[in-house]
Amino acid sequence: MLSLSKRVVQHAQIRLSSVSEISSTALIELALNLTNSLTANDRFERLLSTVRQAVPCDAVVLLHVQGDYLKPLALQGLTKETLGRRFEIAAHGRFEQICKSTTPLRFAADSPLADPYDGLLLAHEGDLPVHACMGLPLLSDNKLIGVLTLDSMVPNVFDDIPNRTLDIIAAMSAATLKTAMMLQQLEQHSKHNQQVVAELTHEALIKDGGELIGESASMRKLKQEIEMVAASNFSILIEGETGVGKELVARTLHRQSSRRDGPLVYVNCAALPENLIESELFGHVKGAFTGAERTRTGKFHLASGGTIFLDEIGELPLAAQSKLLRVLQNQEIQVVGKDDVEYVDVRIVAATNRQLRDEVEQGRFRADLYHRLSVYPVAVPPLRQREGDISLLCGYFIESTRRKLGMTQLTLVKNAIKVLSDYDWPGNVRELEHVISRAALRAKSDSHSPIVRIGLTHLALMLPKDKALNGGEPLQADNAYKDAAQADINLKMQTDDFQRQLILQHLSEQNGNWSATAARLQVDRANLNRLAKRLGIRVSKRIEVKPE
């Protein structure tokens, strides 16, 4: 229980009396503010500001229901990384009760249910839970569309607010959210399209990594380009470094296109055996070649009516490139073992981490295929160029990791975002996800509290020590981190050992198949071979004759 001085008690009593009766003037002001707002973000911010004026509180959050998850749309009083989180309703008792209710719900100060915002409140540091909590389900046509939560460090501060007042605030908040949703539906031209996008987004979120998260200038430009080109039927070439999220961009393009009801077929060109590329892409008939024991449908047939995503397109050999060119030119394929051609209706989206223009100049990639693929090139920015996106991505990955590890709460210490933002991230978003996952495991093993905090020491083991410096001056960090920065840690040796063990593990699982291993690790096969050679890894095959 939080001990309060007499002065704090008096302040709490004043706040309790001030919110026991909220004037109609405040509610009218709320309605007028909302009607004067132009954009959804503006409406949300005005909504939260006016709610805090009417009901004094330390934090207020507007969340949108997306399937089994709650997505924060706007907040005041909580850390910014909270916006990147996606709260699984069933995993949070308070959210679950609010979503099942049809009326505003107050939680007792001693409620045994963990507060999902523990450790995230800006006005309070430490592990103490928020003492007063209230949730308003936002309903439209008797359907839950969102949730408005209010939290205060003053116990029982919400108890005397008339239910009628809360019903009015909930109705206005629901109307605000509903208006924003309807405007979004109109922008996408139909309610049906919006429902399909929501469903696909939900399915992708279950698989993790289903949403383009980021509000930096480069990410806003990328989202605008995707929205603009998705409606066309152009072939798209997605370019970007390893780990930037090219597959996610391809999925987003597909679900925003007119082909969203059709299939999206993924093909990793780097993992295709050279002698079976035509069979994999175009199919074969039974007996077409040795080992063809049955007729096989090719990837282009499977993608007919939808989109085929050719990842690592730069790894295709020249012979296969000429076959692919025929599909792009005439939308026709020739099944291995058949003389006649067949027509398919497929949109091609390709991706590469190579500079294909340079590959063309060096004769490793066909110029005509390159120009056919890159009708509209889309460049995915590296993480180091996405200023301000680290905190949102951290919130997303932290919440995902928390669910996977079954934690009550997982968060970052104060200076962690600064350390992460100063790092160059050669592995981009995928590297950030792995760093957060590993740091969470370390933090969990060090913690004896339900609120697990990822500290600078947990990140220092994975980031270069010089990245913990800001202009040559150490960050204001805890003593443990300073000790770790001064310790004699051979980062390169630890990194090599980790990579060596990971490659050996997957090589063993794939029976020494380098292509399959590269596909599992999501790296270029040539790069994997070079890395393995440097690490002293090689696959040795031998023939043994057993004695009779």
Side-chain angles (χ1 to χ4, degrees), residues 180-301:
M181 292 169 58
M182 290 179 65
L183 289 174
Q184 185 178 11
Q185 290 172 356
L186 290 174
E187 290 171 357
Q188 295 176 345
H189 303 295
S190 80
K191 183 177 180 179
H192 173 70
N193 287 353
Q194 171 64 17
Q195 291 171 340
V196 171
V197 171
E199 180 180 349
L200 290 173
T201 301
H202 170 62
E203 291 177 356
L205 281 172
I206 293 176
K207 299 175 183 177
D208 285 335
E211 183 178 358
L212 283 172
I213 291 181
E215 295 300 330
S216 62
S218 58
M219 282 302 291
R220 288 198 300 269
K221 178 182 178 183
L222 175 62
K223 292 176 183 179
Q224 291 170 357
E225 285 191 333
I226 291 174
E227 184 178 0
M228 175 181 63
V229 76
S232 73
N233 208 31
F234 293 160
S235 297
I236 306 296
L237 179 62
I238 305 172
E239 298 176 302
E241 299 175 5
T242 297
V244 294
K246 296 186 289 293
E247 182 179 349
L248 176 56
V249 171
R251 292 205 302 268
T252 305
L253 277 165
H254 173 73
R255 65 174 177 247
Q256 290 187 13
S257 73
S258 59
R259 295 173 175 267
R260 57 185 158 270
D261 292 326
L264 172 62
V265 176
Y266 172 81
V267 179
N268 185 349
C269 298
L272 295 177
E274 189 168 348
N275 60 328
L276 294 178
I277 290 177
E278 285 189 63
S279 173
E280 289 287 334
L281 294 180
F282 311 129
H284 65 254
V285 297
K286 182 178 179 180
F289 52 85
T290 303
E293 299 177 354
R294 60 184 178 85
T295 298
R296 179 188 181 94
T297 302
K299 294 294 194 297
F300 273 91
H301 261 304

Side-chain angles (χ1 to χ4, degrees), residues 528-539:
L528 178 61
N529 286 334
R530 285 192 292 269
L531 177 61
K533 184 178 180 180
R534 183 177 67 80
L535 296 173
I537 300 172
R538 63 186 181 90
V539 175

Side-chain angles (χ1 to χ4, degrees), residues 1 94 107-113 129-133 155-156:
M1 204 62 174
R94 298 197 186 203
F107 293 92
D110 58 352
S111 173
L113 297 175
V130 177
H131 282 244
C133 177
N156 308 315

Side-chain angles (χ1 to χ4, degrees), residues 117-139:
Y117 303 143
D118 278 357
L120 301 176
L121 196 67
L122 287 175
H124 183 81
E125 294 185 0
D127 293 353
L128 287 174
V130 177
H131 282 244
C133 177
M134 179 168 60
L136 282 62
L138 307 183
L139 305 174

